[in-house]
């Protein structure tokens, strides 16, 4: 059984913009059997940040949600997770195991940020990252084992085999993004005979909050990978990974612009411009073909299953999966990051077309005005966030200095835009 939105991501983004309210990105989990998943989904669907307390009360009306911890995202974005899909699965986290073989509720000891740091300092501790290689590649705890795996179920037997000799006398310390994978992993390793099993309460998300609010030293380096269009929340200024195309220090993920590929990999700004968001010259050439030809080429292909084979393409030269450096490669300018996060903007309209051969983007202005010289932001789930200044534009086919609501504008753009993209004017 699977429940889908009745509105597209584009339509939902428009409703959010029109509402004019801040959304709050949360993560939470509970192992439970839900009798009516559709009713559950409908009650929790979209609640703005100013109704946070009401949202929490709604959750706690369900017995299995009482006292649940809500992890608040480090960075907020009104267009995060526009497409909400609720899937009913026999297992919340696929583990490849027979659930009858161990008690998933017999979990490890939960640790808060400072307690986690203290145990990290113990020479008798082994710390394991239970995320996938593309997550740990851009951020991880100092000294952590980071398995080169594609999914959670691959990591369990690998780590179990590596640590067979340490069941009795070592502290097994584990972490993941929000805690859900460790909730199962800690129970699994206790079942395997490990005596001292600990896990980071609330995962990296909660750890980062405690670092920020309680002044705890961050032992986590770099970015925390997230599964919406942001693809990462910065925890520290450390860059511990490389651009997969040129080797430059970089920790920005991007999806390949070729709709028949969509491979997610690390790409620096220079390569993003030169390769137009593509992972290879082959994909770049395909992305320049007329849309009809691209659709014909990918007809019958299973595109979705390639997205999460992150950084594994032979076309990528610099791949550091499972071989992360012992120290950061570079630092980012945290001042600029903060400025980008807090940038003030106003919605102008939406993307309508991109002419690949001439590199011309077409937008419909739905509100406000935009003029030559204005700085704009183009934002979308695949495009990410791109800032440019308009140096010349056409309005309904004619050269013009200013466009207003109802006008169709075109201008040169070095990267492709998609129908889900929005155009904003940057204020101030």
């Amino acid at each position: 059984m699977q429940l889908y939105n009745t509105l597209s991501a584009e339509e939902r983004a428009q409703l959010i913009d029109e509402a004019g309210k801040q959304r709050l990105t949360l993560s939470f989990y509970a192992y439970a059997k839900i009798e009516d998943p559709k009713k559950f989904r409908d009650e929790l669907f979209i609640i703005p940040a100013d109704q946070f307390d009401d949202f929490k009360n709604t959750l706690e009306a369900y017995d299995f949600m009482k006292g649940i911890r809500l992890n608040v995202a480090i960075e907020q974005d009104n267009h995060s997770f526009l497409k909400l899909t609720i899937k009913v699965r026999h297992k919340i986290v696929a583990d490849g195991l027979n659930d009858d073989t161990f008690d998933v509720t017999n979990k490890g000891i939960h640790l808060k940020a400072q307690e986690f740091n203290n145990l990290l300092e113990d020479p008798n501790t082994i710390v394991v990252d239970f995320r996938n290689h593309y997550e740990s590649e851009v951020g991880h705890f100092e000294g952590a084992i980071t398995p080169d795996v594609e999914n959670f179920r691959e990591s369990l037997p690998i780590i179990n085999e590596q640590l067979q000799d340490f069941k009795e006398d070592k502290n097994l310390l584990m972490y993941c993004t929000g805690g859900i994978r460790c909730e199962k992993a800690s129970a699994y390793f206790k079942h395997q005979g490990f005596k001292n099993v600990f896990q980071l309460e609330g995962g990296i998300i909660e750890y980062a909050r405690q670092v920020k609010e309680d002044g705890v030293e961050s032992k986590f380096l770099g970015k925390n990978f997230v599964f919406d269009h942001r693809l990462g929340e910065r925890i520290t200024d450390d860059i511990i990974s490389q651009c997969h195309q040129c080797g430059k220090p970089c920790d920005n993920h991007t999806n390949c612009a070729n709709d028949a590929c969509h491979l997610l990999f690390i790409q620096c700004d220079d390569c993003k411009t030169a390769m137009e968001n593509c992972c290879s010259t082959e994909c770049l050439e395909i992305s320049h073909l007329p849309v009809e030809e691209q659709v014909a080429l990918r007809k019958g292909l299973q595109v979705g299953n390639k997205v999460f084979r992150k950084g594994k393409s032979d076309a990528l030269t610099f791949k550091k999966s499972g071989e992360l450096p012992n120290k950061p490669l570079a630092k980012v300018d945290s001042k600029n990051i903060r400025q980008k996060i807090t940038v003030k903007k106003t919605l102008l309209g939406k993307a309508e077309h991109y002419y690949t051969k001439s590199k011309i983007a077409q937008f419909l202005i739905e509100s406000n005005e935009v003029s030559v010289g204005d700085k704009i932001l183009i934002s979308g789930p695949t495009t990410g966030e791109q800032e440019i200044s308009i140096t010349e534009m056409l309005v309904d086919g004619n050269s013009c200095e200013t466009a207003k609501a109802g006008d169709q504008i075109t201008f040169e753009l070095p990267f492709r835009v998609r129908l889900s993209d929005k155009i904003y004017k940057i204020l101030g």
Side-chain angles (χ1 to χ4, degrees):
M1 179 182 179
Q2 190 163 338
L3 304 178
Y4 294 95
N5 296 328
T6 56
L7 298 177
S8 68
E10 184 180 18
E11 292 169 321
R12 192 157 299 285
Q14 183 175 347
L15 287 176
I16 290 167
D17 290 334
E18 290 173 351
K21 290 189 175 184
Q22 181 69 37
R23 293 175 79 225
L24 194 65
T25 302
L26 304 172
S27 64
F28 54 93
Y29 64 89
Y31 286 90
K33 183 178 180 181
I34 301 173
E35 296 298 333
D36 189 344
K38 183 179 185 305
K39 180 175 181 292
F40 182 73
R41 187 277 300 270
D42 291 346
E43 289 180 354
L44 306 182
F45 203 61
I46 288 186
I47 300 178
D50 61 6
Q51 294 180 25
F52 175 77
D53 290 336
D54 291 339
F55 176 76
K56 189 172 182 179
N57 291 337
T58 299
L59 284 181
E60 297 205 352
Y62 296 87
D63 289 339
F64 67 89
M65 290 282 191
K66 288 189 182 301
I68 194 166
R69 181 186 57 255
L70 300 179
N71 291 330
V72 180
I74 305 155
E75 301 170 2
Q76 301 301 328
D77 186 319
N78 267 5
H79 291 168
S80 295
F81 298 105
L82 286 176
K83 183 179 179 182
L84 175 60
T85 302
I86 296 182
K87 300 179 181 179
V88 179
R89 292 287 184 262
H90 178 61
K91 296 180 181 180
I92 295 178
V93 178
D95 52 29
L97 305 171
N98 180 352
D99 277 351
D100 295 334
T101 62
F102 72 100
D103 180 6
V104 73
T105 65
N106 184 26
K107 54 201 175 188
I109 298 171
H110 288 79
L111 300 178
K112 296 189 180 300
Q114 188 58 61
E115 296 171 323
F116 189 88
N117 282 359
N118 294 342
L119 203 57
L120 271 179
E121 299 295 329
D122 189 335
N124 209 39
T125 293
I126 297 173
V127 59
V128 180
D129 190 323
F130 274 98
R131 299 173 301 154
N132 305 321
H133 72 84
Y134 49 86
E135 299 173 81
S136 61
E137 188 170 10
V138 294
H140 63 272
F141 278 97
E142 298 174 11
I145 296 173
T146 54
D148 185 12
V149 296
E150 296 282 348
N151 51 59
F152 175 74
R153 63 177 170 268
E154 289 181 11
S155 64
L156 294 179
I158 291 174
I159 297 302
N160 191 34
E161 183 178 350
Q162 287 183 7
L163 304 183
Q164 277 298 306
D165 296 334
F166 305 107
K167 290 183 177 182
E168 299 286 339
D169 58 346
K170 293 290 185 182
N171 300 315
L172 179 55
L173 184 59
M174 59 184 67
Y175 68 92
C176 57
T177 304
I180 188 169
R181 283 174 279 191
C182 287
E183 202 79 355
K184 180 168 283 191
S186 65
Y188 170 79
F189 282 97
K190 287 187 71 174
H191 180 73
Q192 292 296 321
F194 287 82
K195 302 300 182 185
N196 306 305
V197 181
F198 304 86
Q199 63 190 91
L200 180 58
E201 183 181 14
I204 300 164
I205 297 173
E206 175 62 15
Y207 180 90
R209 187 195 66 77
Q210 292 178 33
V211 164
K212 182 179 179 180
E213 296 183 4
D214 302 337
V216 177
E217 179 188 2
S218 180
K219 296 291 186 179
F220 185 94
L221 302 175
K223 273 185 174 180
N224 179 30
F225 184 93
V226 294
F227 291 88
D228 63 279
H229 74 276
R230 296 169 299 155
L231 300 177
E233 295 182 324
R234 184 159 295 286
I235 309 298
T236 70
D237 296 341
D238 303 294
I239 298 177
I240 66 170
S241 52
Q242 295 176 297
C243 171
H244 285 163
Q245 291 177 318
C246 73
K248 183 187 299 182
C250 177
D251 56 9
N252 295 325
H253 278 102
T254 188
N255 278 109
C256 179
N258 174 14
D259 288 334
C261 178
H262 278 181
L263 181 80
L264 195 143
F265 63 104
I266 298 174
Q267 187 179 48
C268 70
D269 290 341
D270 291 340
C271 289
K272 184 184 288 287
T273 299
M275 297 296 293
E276 300 177 26
N277 283 58
C278 291
C279 69
S280 65
T281 54
E282 179 185 5
C283 282
L284 179 60
E285 291 170 359
I286 291 173
S287 71
H288 283 185
L289 295 174
V291 174
E292 295 77 13
E293 290 187 35
Q294 293 186 49
V295 172
L297 282 174
R298 64 176 180 266
K299 188 175 182 180
L301 294 179
Q302 294 294 319
V303 177
N305 64 356
K306 293 187 67 178
V307 175
F308 288 95
R309 298 197 63 79
K310 303 179 192 307
K312 293 296 188 180
S313 170
D314 292 335
L316 302 173
T317 305
F318 296 89
K319 293 173 283 188
K320 301 292 290 185
S321 300
E323 302 173 9
L324 298 176
N326 293 322
K327 59 182 180 181
L329 300 176
K331 296 275 188 179
V332 297
D333 187 342
S334 58
K335 180 180 178 182
N336 287 340
I337 289 172
R338 285 192 292 271
Q339 288 175 343
K340 185 174 182 181
I341 292 170
T342 58
V343 67
K344 292 184 178 180
K345 62 185 185 292
T346 183
L347 180 67
L348 292 173
K350 62 184 180 182
E352 289 194 324
H353 193 66
Y354 186 69
Y355 301 90
T356 54
K357 290 186 178 180
S358 58
K359 297 185 178 179
I360 298 291
Q362 178 178 305
F363 294 88
L364 176 64
I365 301 301
E366 298 176 312
S367 61
N368 301 303
E369 292 185 351
V370 62
S371 301
V372 171
D374 283 345
K375 207 169 186 181
I376 63 169
L377 172 72
I378 297 170
S379 176
T382 302
T383 305
E385 293 193 346
Q386 308 276 355
E387 293 181 14
I388 66 162
S389 293
I390 296 180
T391 57
E392 183 181 4
M393 70 176 171
L394 300 180
V395 175
D396 297 327
N398 300 308
S399 180
C400 192
E401 290 293 314
T402 299
K404 59 185 184 302
D407 288 340
Q408 188 181 71
I409 68 171
T410 54
F411 52 85
E412 287 190 19
L413 204 59
F415 55 88
R416 181 180 177 184
V417 295
R418 295 160 178 81
L419 292 178
S420 57
D421 289 352
K422 300 291 185 183
I423 181 172
Y424 300 84
K425 180 165 71 173
I426 296 175
L427 305 175

